[in-house]
Each structure stands twice: as structure tokens, then as C-alpha cells.
Amino acid sequence: MDAAKEGKLGPLKTAREEAADCTRCDLYKNATQTVFGEGGAKASVVFVGEQPGDREDIEGRPFVGPAGRLFDTILEETGIDRKKTYVTNAVKHFKFQSRGKRRIHSKPNAGEIRACRWWLGQELTMIQPDLAVALGATAVRALTGKALAVNTLRGSVVESAEGVPVFITVHPSSLLRIPDREARHTARERFAEDMRKVKTMMRKG
Ligand code: URA
């Protein structure tokens, strides 16, 4: 725990190495690799997404595909330095259905979320952030153990099983799926506003 708090990866590195061989649910069978979280071991905020997508599965890093790029841009605009945060997912293997050569994202189920919760617990316990940010319903479920309504609770703070405050917002990929340009812009602004709130809840420095 101390090594992690000192900024050395320490036990977090061990957890990452152990997660590489995870067989807690069946998702490892079709995915390329475990995509563990990455970022500062002393991070004051941990962002939690749903699961790696196609790009993340190939690169082995969270939030590096289209949703990740949008997320990075908004964080930058908001003045949040991603390198000082920790970014991870509720489920650490890509779940998909094959359609020809394409791999189509498939939502993780409650059992898969529960099986993977062990790793998220390790990450939170070792990092001890001031705040976790649940990006969407799967993250909310993983962090709280409850199927809470994101739209109703958006912008509020609940508690994770470890007692970490959890700020609830939508997943950045939901912004990419809005067909109407104006509506997409409005949704993006609202998400940016959520990130500005998160910034005020982060430790300084
Ligand atoms: N969506 C997620 O929830 N996580 C990623 O890493 C990428 C896309």
C-alpha cells in the first residue's frame, strides 16, 4: 500500500500482472488480452468506464479508441491532466460478437461485472482516490453493486463498496452515438460541465 501511495506502481503492478492471466469469467477466451487500468498510483481521481473496445483490446490500454480520444479532448479542455488520473474499466476483457471481420461491442452482463469487480476493488484499495467517476451504467453497477439509473443520478455522488465517493455521469461513447449535430454538441457541453465539477473535487497539485 505504501509503495503505491509513494507513486511506485508496487502492488498495483503485481495486480496488473496477475490480471493478465485472469479466468474469473469466460470473456478471456475470445479477447486478445486483459486491459488493466493505467495512470498514477497516487491519482486523486479514478475514471471507470465499461469495458475495453476493439482498439483497446488490440493495444492493451484503456480509452485509446474513438470514445477515448473524445474523452481525452474533453479532459484537456477542462484542464484535467489524464496522466495525473487513473483510467480503468469495470470489465477488463473486450466482449463482442463477430460480424464478418468486424467485432461488435456487446454489453457485459451482471455476472461478468461481478467476476471482474475483484480487480476494480484492488485498484481502488491500492490507489485510495478521493473520487471515482462512474462513466455510465456498467461502471455505476460495478462501483456500487446496484443497478442505479444514470440519468436520474447524474451529477450526484454516491459511495462505492470501499467507501470511495463516486461521481455519476454518462459514458463518453454515448456522445458519439447522437446523430443530430446540435443535440450532440449540447450533450458534449453537459459532459464537459460534469468534468469541470470533477476537477473541483480533485486534490490540488
Ligand atoms: N469504452 C470503455 O468503457 N472503455 C474503454 O476503454 C474504451 C471504450
Side-chain angles (χ1 to χ4, degrees):
M1 180 87 68
D2 284 342
K5 293 305 281 180
E6 279 163 28
K8 298 170 192 141
L9 279 179
L12 204 50
K13 182 166 174 274
T14 308
R16 167 193 286 274
E17 285 164 3
E18 287 172 3
D21 297 322
C22 184
T23 55
R24 285 174 174 263
C25 76
D26 283 345
L27 294 183
Y28 76 95
K29 290 181 180 168
N30 296 322
T32 307
Q33 57 191 315
T34 306
V35 179
F36 206 68
E38 66 173 28
K42 287 196 297 186
S44 76
V45 61
V46 170
F47 289 101
V48 183
E50 183 192 67
Q51 62 163 351
D54 184 74
R55 198 66 235 158
E56 289 80 11
D57 173 73
I58 293 164
E59 291 194 27
R61 297 182 54 213
F63 282 95
V64 291
R69 284 197 295 277
L70 175 61
F71 182 55
D72 282 352
T73 305
I74 296 174
L75 285 191
E76 211 176 307
E77 284 169 12
T78 316
I80 296 177
D81 183 354
R82 174 165 166 172
K83 290 195 289 300
K84 289 190 181 154
T85 73
Y86 186 88
V87 179
T88 192
N89 283 301
V91 170
K92 289 169 172 56
H93 279 115
F94 180 34
K95 182 177 180 183
F96 61 93
Q97 287 183 332
S98 296
R99 286 212 201 117
K101 284 191 183 158
R102 293 187 64 207
R103 302 190 300 170
I104 311 295
H105 162 278
S106 190
K107 211 172 157 54
N109 63 36
E112 290 153 352
I113 296 169
R114 215 175 307 116
C116 214
R117 182 62 172 81
W118 162 260
W119 299 115
L120 184 58
Q122 296 280 303
E123 291 170 303
L124 292 176
T125 306
M126 289 171 198
I127 296 169
Q128 295 184 8
D130 299 328
L131 185 71
V133 179
L135 302 167
T138 299
V140 171
R141 187 167 193 146
L143 285 160
T144 66
K146 297 176 200 149
L148 303 174
V150 172
N151 285 336
T152 314
L153 288 173
R154 183 174 184 176
S156 63
V157 177
V158 295
E159 219 173 63
S160 83
E162 296 79 9
V164 175
V166 176
F167 180 91
I168 297 179
T169 185
V170 295
H171 194 287
S173 68
S174 66
L175 310 176
L176 297 170
R177 290 194 298 268
I178 300 171
D180 179 69
R181 198 158 166 257
E182 209 169 305
R184 195 165 60 242
H185 176 75
T186 306
R188 189 190 191 284
E189 280 307 297
R190 190 163 172 214
F191 184 76
E193 187 51 41
D194 283 351
M195 292 305 108
R196 280 190 279 276
K197 280 190 202 147
V198 167
K199 188 166 172 11
T200 66
M201 294 180 210
M202 289 170 66
R203 273 195 306 263
K204 304 275 180 283

